Amino acid sequence: MRPAHLTPDPPVVLVAHGSRDPRAAEATRALARAVAAARPGVTVLPSWLDHTEPGPAAVLRELAAAGHSRAVLVPLLLTAAYHRKVDIPAAVAAARADGPPIEVRVADVLGPADGRVDAGLLAGLCRRLAEAEPGGYDALVLAAAGTRDPRARGSVGRVAAALGAELGVPCRVSYASAAPPTAGAAVAKLRAGGARRVGVAAYFLAPGLFHDTVCGAAWDAGAAAVAAPLTDVPDLADLVLRRAAAQLG
């Protein structure tokens, strides 16, 4: 137990991208519940950058108005692209400008930080692959949303390399938008090279149009299985807590 003289942990605000698909918002709420269950006594609040309310600035203002002097914001993002670089700092600045003072620490994204792929992220991807097809695979495709940011694409490539090394099979990257190849093209290339059981790992935090697109293309190309998004797997909840804890020293 925490000694009585120590201050309580600050609230943790999760910030998701947001989607018109209601399944995405529910996945974020489910992850918030999983994080809260893993760390009883810590307030965990979801927020969204677009399409769903509340936004992170509104949540931070409400926390400040309720008397909280600090908070930790954890981006529910898998790459450190535009939303991490621009949208989230803007939301924090808006909260500070329009509400009572509050210290906000912003954690790393859930994807590779400082070039390192977190073991918990890999464990979550492996868990979803095993759930999709317990029999295993002889090749993999890591299907991501896609970005025009070359550094962000590089981080996806590092995850693919780490996942392939973890499971001892080749792993190619695919994207649902913004960059080639598609999941279907990646699966087809692996099958043309002799792979008979190609599994598709979903590098997504929530279901939605991109994951649906990946599923259709991968199945049409002959994939053996397509994993579900990470959503609220315990490994991901633990990673969120560790990202938050890193900001608290």
Side-chain angles (χ1 to χ4, degrees):
M1 295 180 64
R2 177 180 295 275
H5 65 278
L6 293 183
T7 58
D9 288 329
V12 174
V13 180
L14 308 184
V15 186
H17 177 279
S19 169
R20 293 183 177 89
D21 192 318
R23 295 175 296 171
E26 181 48 42
T28 302
R29 295 185 187 101
L31 178 57
R33 292 191 294 268
V35 173
R39 188 65 183 271
V42 175
T43 299
V44 182
L45 300 170
S47 69
W48 294 266
L49 292 170
D50 200 5
H51 302 300
T52 305
E53 296 294 337
V59 173
L60 291 171
R61 289 190 200 104
E62 290 177 3
L63 289 171
H68 291 280
S69 61
R70 57 183 186 146
V72 179
L73 191 155
V74 181
L76 299 185
L77 302 171
L78 292 170
T79 61
Y82 184 85
H83 299 297
R84 173 62 182 86
K85 295 175 181 177
V86 177
D87 290 339
I88 287 177
V92 173
R96 287 172 171 161
D98 300 341
I102 184 170
E103 178 190 356
V104 182
R105 302 280 185 90
V106 181
D108 287 325
V109 298
L110 303 182
D114 299 326
R116 293 170 294 182
V117 181
D118 189 88
L121 180 62
L122 283 181
L125 291 168
C126 291
R127 183 191 297 263
R128 288 299 194 220
L129 281 167
E131 291 170 351
E133 177 50 69
Y137 311 96
D138 51 19
L140 294 171
V141 171
L142 181 70
T147 174
R148 293 181 177 87
D149 187 318
R151 289 189 177 184
R153 290 198 303 273
S155 77
V156 177
R158 285 192 289 276
V159 175
L163 182 62
E166 180 74 15
L167 296 178
V169 296
C171 183
R172 299 181 64 88
V173 172
S174 74
Y175 298 103
S177 70
T182 65
V187 170
K189 187 163 187 176
L190 286 167
R191 284 175 55 80
R196 301 183 63 182
R197 293 180 53 78
V198 180
V200 179
Y203 198 47
F204 299 100
L205 297 177
L209 176 62
F210 282 165
H211 185 256
D212 291 346
T213 300
V214 164
C215 287
W219 288 124
D220 288 347
V226 182
L230 291 163
T231 58
D232 59 345
V233 292
D235 316 276
L236 192 66
D238 178 69
L239 174 55
V240 168
L241 284 170
R242 286 188 284 107
R243 289 287 194 255
Q247 294 304 309
L248 302 174

